[in-house]
Amino acid sequence: MSASPAEQRLEPGTDAGGEPASATVPKVSARGLEKRFGSGPREVHAMGPVDLDIHEGEFVCIVGPSGCGKSTFVKVAAGLIPPTAGTLTLSFRDDTDARIATVFQDYGIFPWKTVRGNVQFALRARGVSRAEARERSEHWLRKLGLAQFGDAYPHTLSGGMRQRVAIARALVVDPELLLMDEPFAALDAQLREILQDELLSLHQDRGRTVVFVTHSLEEAILLGDRVIVMSNRPGTIRDDQVVPFPRPRDPSLRESPELPRLRAKLWAHLRRDVNAQMEQAEGER
Ligand code: ADP
Ligand code: MG
């Protein structure tokens, strides 16, 4: 990986509560984080500067106008592309390879491997024994309704099913940090709800840290402890709202009258940027 995600910030936490440092050191800490693609007149300032702390066990959702740099942030956080400026510090409890798993919009699964092979590979690549990899994979294939498709190749599956393979492959690792970029966008509404509930219980049971990009404000509110609203490109943080719903979250929350109220609050921050983007597109036509 290019940007080393293993860098540890060793300063003690700033909270003066006698808490162990590990409880206060953020899992993800971005300072002045920026990404530009290309150079000279062709340069695209895609994102930042972004300052953001995400703590252990937090579920943070990111929303923002399309093209504002959300995927870029996730790719930099995953260490897939290096930042142009600023720092990104990730801290992990474990020194194993099960630290980060990612799910992207375009699946990123191997077309030459079967469904089962794709899910097992995630573990085998991290040094898990063949027997254990098989057992853990079968568990997640069942959970995601893929048990009957273990021997199928991705090209024979629908987009929604391929996306489920990508999700299974990330979850099977049980990563300390789960980075998900619009993972449910390609799924139909029912499956989307099932996987939202699944992800909620996974987060609640395992206390994992999740960064989740979505274009759905409802989804962000339903899942997140915080919702980050990004501005138009270059995306910076426009708003950072704490979602006041307690955990464990119940699926009935979808019917809560609080949901549209919070949605309206977030939309108020987002609307200006979305409108500006539409006006700009109009002007370019
Ligand atoms: P979002 O995920 O919020 O829709 P992206 O992070 O994908 O936005 O993209 C942000 C901006 O950076 C867009 O203008 C996009 O065209 C540009 N961009 C993304 N990746 C690259 C790349 N590899 N090279 C050049 N420009 C890029
Ligand atoms: Mg994107």
Side-chain angles (χ1 to χ4, degrees):
M1 269 192 222
S2 38
S4 168
E7 196 189 333
Q8 306 268 335
R9 178 153 295 192
L10 294 171
E11 295 155 22
T14 46
D15 284 11
E19 294 266 284
S22 63
T24 52
V25 172
K27 194 92 189 153
V28 180
S29 182
R31 287 292 173 274
L33 195 68
E34 275 190 61
K35 182 65 189 177
R36 296 165 192 265
F37 292 103
S39 58
R42 292 245 183 107
E43 184 186 83
V44 177
H45 188 178
M47 175 205 78
V50 165
D51 293 296
L52 179 64
D53 283 340
I54 296 172
H55 292 274
E56 176 99 51
E58 258 188 325
F59 197 130
V60 173
C61 292
I62 300 178
V63 298
S66 78
C68 77
K70 303 181 294 297
S71 296
T72 301
F73 175 79
V74 172
K75 284 175 190 159
V76 172
L80 297 173
I81 55 174
T84 313
T87 58
L88 179 82
T89 312
L90 305 184
S91 68
F92 293 100
R93 271 182 289 168
D94 231 354
D95 203 26
T96 67
D97 283 330
R99 298 195 292 198
I100 302 183
T102 52
V103 180
F104 290 105
Q105 277 161 289
D106 50 5
Y107 325 124
I109 55 180
F110 301 123
W112 59 87
K113 281 188 187 289
T114 62
V115 166
R116 179 176 288 111
N118 263 284
V119 179
Q120 289 184 4
F121 178 79
L123 293 170
R124 297 287 290 148
R126 289 169 162 88
V128 173
S129 76
R130 194 179 297 273
E132 189 187 336
R134 192 173 311 135
E135 196 180 311
R136 284 167 66 177
S137 300
E138 294 312 309
H139 170 81
W140 281 104
L141 291 177
R142 273 197 303 278
K143 273 213 163 200
L144 289 168
L146 293 166
Q148 273 108 61
F149 301 92
D151 296 322
Y153 283 89
H155 74 270
T156 66
L157 305 176
S158 68
M161 286 178 75
R162 283 203 287 269
Q163 188 62 323
R164 276 188 270 165
V165 177
I167 293 164
R169 202 180 56 175
L171 297 184
V172 75
V173 173
D174 190 20
E176 280 194 42
L177 177 61
L178 182 58
L179 301 169
M180 304 180 94
D181 190 2
E182 304 202 28
F184 304 154
L187 306 179
D188 64 58
Q190 265 168 312
L191 185 59
R192 196 182 171 112
E193 288 202 6
I194 289 169
L195 289 182
Q196 285 171 346
D197 294 343
E198 197 65 59
L199 186 59
L200 273 179
S201 62
L202 184 90
H203 168 254
Q204 275 143 199
D205 295 348
R206 306 283 305 151
R208 295 315 198 186
T209 310
V210 186
V211 177
F212 188 99
V213 174
T214 174
H215 60 250
S216 161
L217 293 176
E218 281 85 0
E219 187 169 62
I221 295 163
L222 208 58
L223 298 178
D225 296 307
R226 281 158 71 194
V227 181
I228 309 283
V229 181
M230 283 177 84
S231 70
N232 269 330
R233 183 174 70 80
T236 54
I237 294 175
R238 175 75 83 208
D239 191 30
D240 185 346
Q241 288 277 337
V242 171
V243 179
F245 300 133
R247 295 201 185 265
R249 300 262 171 96
D250 192 89
S252 68
L253 194 58
R254 292 192 179 86
E255 269 67 62
S256 159
E258 274 299 312
L259 193 76
R261 217 171 303 171
L262 204 53
R263 186 190 186 285
K265 209 162 153 189
L266 289 169
W267 177 234
H269 287 273
L270 197 54
R271 179 164 39 202
R272 191 157 42 115
D273 288 300
V274 172
N275 283 345
Q277 195 183 51
M278 277 159 52
E279 276 160 26
Q280 194 188 345
E282 199 68 34
E284 282 165 4
R285 221 180 276 157

